[in-house]
Amino acid sequence: MKILDIRVLGDPALRKDTTPVAEITDELRAFIGEMFDTMYAAEGIGLAAPQVGRSEQIAVVDVEGAKYTLINPEIIADEGTARAEEGCLSIPDVYGDVTRASRVTVRAMNELGETYEVTADELLGRCLQHELDHLHGKLFIDYLSVLKRRSVMSDWERRKGDYPGFIRRVAAEKKGPHHSEGEL
Ligand code: K1U
Ligand code: ZN
């Protein structure tokens, strides 16, 4: 299992637009596996390629067992609005309420190159929108009020030194029969 370093707020990789995947290679499939491992190790429900320093249109999601690999994803329909709290693996310990579409339909390819569509609301719908935003250089803090954003940013200025080089290292999950409590 390979756990990738997560880029945090301030890393330019998080603000760049991504490029569509032209060919799904074995290297890309291995990378997608590493994205899932990293997301689980960080206890997240989603992860997008720019968060681990890559520039392709790839994201992974697992919301309560609904697991998706999203290659070249696009929102093809949305309806309504809903407001709820979000967090981001690239902005640790920051949370804020974000208004988004209450229901979205996303079209994407899986790791086999098959095109599929998923329609989702609640947390899955929100997570899909959050991950697609990452693929376009957008972060959930961009939706916060000026006041809330200012407070988040001043807090982050104090804490960003905890992440030298804008890198968050995540420890591998300690699971399975070969590990015991407290073992590295
Ligand atoms: O892309 C990311 O940074 C992952 C992010 C996804 C996400 C969480 C919440 C709402 C929308 C998108 C996370 O996994 S943050 C950690 C988390 O598991 C979580 C945080 C708040 C609510 C629910 C879950
Ligand atoms: Zn995020």
Side-chain angles (χ1 to χ4, degrees):
M1 184 198 296
K2 184 172 166 197
I3 306 299
L4 306 167
D5 288 340
I6 296 179
R7 310 299 178 91
V8 299
L9 185 61
D11 189 314
L14 293 175
R15 288 306 193 176
K16 288 188 183 136
D17 211 352
T18 49
T19 50
V21 171
E23 189 192 358
I24 303 172
T25 60
D26 286 345
E27 188 277 332
L28 212 62
R29 276 188 274 268
F31 170 61
I32 289 165
E34 292 164 2
M35 286 183 72
F36 273 109
D37 289 343
T38 304
M39 178 186 76
Y40 293 131
E43 298 185 352
I45 55 173
L47 187 72
Q51 294 181 277
V52 288
R54 295 265 300 235
S55 58
E56 299 100 325
Q57 285 182 9
I58 304 173
V60 297
V61 161
D62 188 343
V63 176
E64 292 150 11
K67 189 174 164 180
Y68 297 94
T69 297
L70 301 135
I71 299 172
N72 301 345
E74 51 181 332
I75 293 174
I76 57 167
D78 65 79
E79 62 184 73
T81 57
R83 190 166 176 80
E85 189 173 74
E86 296 192 14
C88 182
L89 297 178
S90 294
I91 320 174
D93 304 316
V94 169
Y95 301 92
D97 285 345
V98 178
T99 302
R100 295 193 185 268
S102 53
R103 190 179 176 88
V104 288
T105 300
V106 172
R107 181 181 292 152
M109 264 189 311
N110 64 18
E111 60 281 357
L112 301 174
E114 298 162 341
T115 298
Y116 68 94
E117 289 176 13
V118 50
T119 298
D121 53 15
E122 304 290 344
L123 188 55
L124 177 57
R126 180 166 294 278
C127 188
L128 289 167
Q129 293 175 74
H130 179 114
E131 300 312 327
L132 265 75
D133 269 357
H134 272 302
L135 300 181
H136 300 288
K138 202 156 174 72
L139 301 173
F140 85 92
I141 56 169
D142 301 344
Y143 297 103
L144 302 179
S145 69
V146 173
L147 271 182
K148 171 78 180 172
R149 199 182 145 116
R150 205 173 283 162
S151 117
V152 162
M153 292 311 291
S154 83
D155 179 45
W156 183 252
E157 280 306 307
R158 280 187 277 107
R159 293 194 296 116
K160 70 180 185 188
D162 296 343
Y163 304 96
F166 300 114
I167 282 172
R168 172 183 175 194
R169 289 191 205 289
V170 181
E173 275 183 305
K174 298 168 211 112
K175 262 192 180 171
H178 305 297
H179 299 281
S180 58
E181 267 311 285
E183 189 185 339
L184 280 177

